[in-house]
């Protein structure tokens, strides 16, 4: 949380909290055009002495600690004391350099959806991401989104994405009194759909990442969109959830 400019969860505007949005980052809010994989590969070269483009390591839908675990397993390595924090510091340093102003893009409909959520009485929004807190901050600041999310649940906080989602909805319930059934997970992979189901939350799947629409449909999300620019349908559905339908 210290990587973000706001401290603690914001209060919902205008009325008692009624609905919570929990956003994935990569493939849902933004794309980095492969910068994350490159940052990891650079850190692997520096700390493990191995040249590896990591193309066979699954990034989409995973958590960054899990990604690191997969890399170490692949190369038969483990970190000694103090090595892992230095590895992460290198990843973040490389990411800051790689994610320059000409690289990556914000996905369609994202600013408009965030504006709409902020305008709705009793709606709150946060992050549910496999990114480490530091990596999430780098990406969100690049696209001027960091100030729009004052709370979140991050990759280093749970052993897998299901546990991460459970932690996220528990935090929302504690902070706002909003039950899991009125939490909406927004993501672009089957892992987002599965973790939302595990946590008892609703889920919106968007085909803006590495998964095609038909692949996501097979996991039966509550709502499936081509992208977040389908704002009217998304907001109408969310208002029904907020009303307890």
């Amino acid at each position: 949380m210290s990587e973000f400019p706001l401290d603690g969860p914001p209060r919902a505007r205008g009325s008692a909290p009624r609905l919570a949005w929990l956003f994935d980052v990569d493939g849902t809010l933004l794309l980095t055009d492969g910068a994350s994989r490159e940052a990891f590969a650079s850190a692997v070269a520096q700390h493990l002495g191995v040249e590896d483009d990591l193309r066979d390591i699954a990034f989409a839908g995973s958590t960054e600690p899990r990604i690191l675990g997969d890399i170490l397993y692949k190369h038969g390595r483990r970190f000694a004391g103090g090595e892992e924090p230095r590895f992460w510091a290198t990843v973040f340093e490389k990411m800051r350099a790689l994610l320059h102003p000409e690289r990556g893009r914000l996905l369609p409909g994202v600013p408009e959806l965030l504006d709409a959520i902020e305008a709705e009485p009793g709606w709150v929004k946060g992050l549910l991401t496999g990114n480490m807190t530091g990596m999430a901050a780098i990406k969100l600041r690049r696209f001027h989104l960091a100030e729009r999310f004052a709370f979140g649940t991050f990759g280093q906080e749970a052993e897998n994405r299901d546990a991460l989602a459970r932690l996220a909805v528990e935090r929302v319930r504690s902070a706002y009194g909003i039950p899991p059934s009125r939490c909406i997970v927004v993501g672009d992979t089957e892992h987002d759909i599965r973790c939302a189901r595990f946590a008892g939350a609703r889920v919106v799947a968007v085909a803006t990442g590495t998964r095609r629409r038909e692949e996501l449909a097979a996991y039966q999300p509550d709502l499936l969109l081509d992208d977040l620019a389908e704002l009217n349908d998304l907001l109408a559905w969310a208002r029904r959830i907020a009303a307890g339908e």
Side-chain angles (χ1 to χ4, degrees), residues 19-52:
L19 190 71
W21 296 75
L22 298 169
F23 286 90
D24 174 52
V25 174
D26 298 278
T28 300
L29 296 174
L30 56 88
L31 296 175
T32 68
D33 295 339
S36 296
R37 196 180 298 268
E38 287 182 34
F40 269 84
S42 293
V44 166
Q46 181 171 325
H47 291 271
L48 300 183
V50 175
E51 295 295 331
D52 186 348

Side-chain angles (χ1 to χ4, degrees), residues 81-197:
E83 284 187 277
E84 184 171 343
R86 290 193 291 272
F87 177 88
W88 289 119
T90 300
V91 171
F92 300 158
E93 177 187 1
K94 299 294 185 182
M95 190 64 179
R96 291 186 191 97
L98 288 165
L99 197 58
H100 50 75
E102 291 75 35
R103 186 170 193 172
R105 61 188 173 94
L106 205 58
L107 286 165
V110 169
E112 294 81 3
L113 175 57
L114 298 181
D115 288 345
I117 292 171
E118 290 168 6
E120 288 280 342
W123 289 15
V124 297
K125 54 184 166 55
L127 298 168
L128 169 55
T129 175
N131 283 264
M132 300 279 281
T133 307
M135 187 70 102
I138 293 165
K139 295 173 182 178
L140 294 175
R141 285 176 178 151
R142 157 70 180 86
F143 296 99
H144 309 290
L145 293 180
E147 70 279 1
R148 318 254 346 224
F149 301 96
F151 72 99
T153 307
F154 302 93
Q156 75 275 10
E157 296 190 272
E159 62 182 349
N160 57 55
R161 207 171 187 98
D162 288 352
L164 206 61
R166 179 69 61 83
L167 178 60
V169 300
E170 287 173 355
R171 285 179 171 169
V172 168
R173 187 196 294 272
S174 176
Y176 301 111
I178 297 174
S181 62
R182 285 192 275 118
C183 293
I184 298 173
V185 173
V186 185
D188 66 294
T189 73
E190 69 276 11
H191 304 291
D192 299 294
I193 299 169
R194 286 170 170 165
C195 79
R197 298 290 185 229

Side-chain angles (χ1 to χ4, degrees), residues 18-19 181-184 202 222 236-245:
R18 295 183 295 121
L19 190 71
S181 62
R182 285 192 275 118
C183 293
I184 298 173
R202 310 296 182 107
D222 295 300
W237 174 81
R239 290 183 182 116
R240 292 194 295 272
I241 302 302
E245 296 181 17

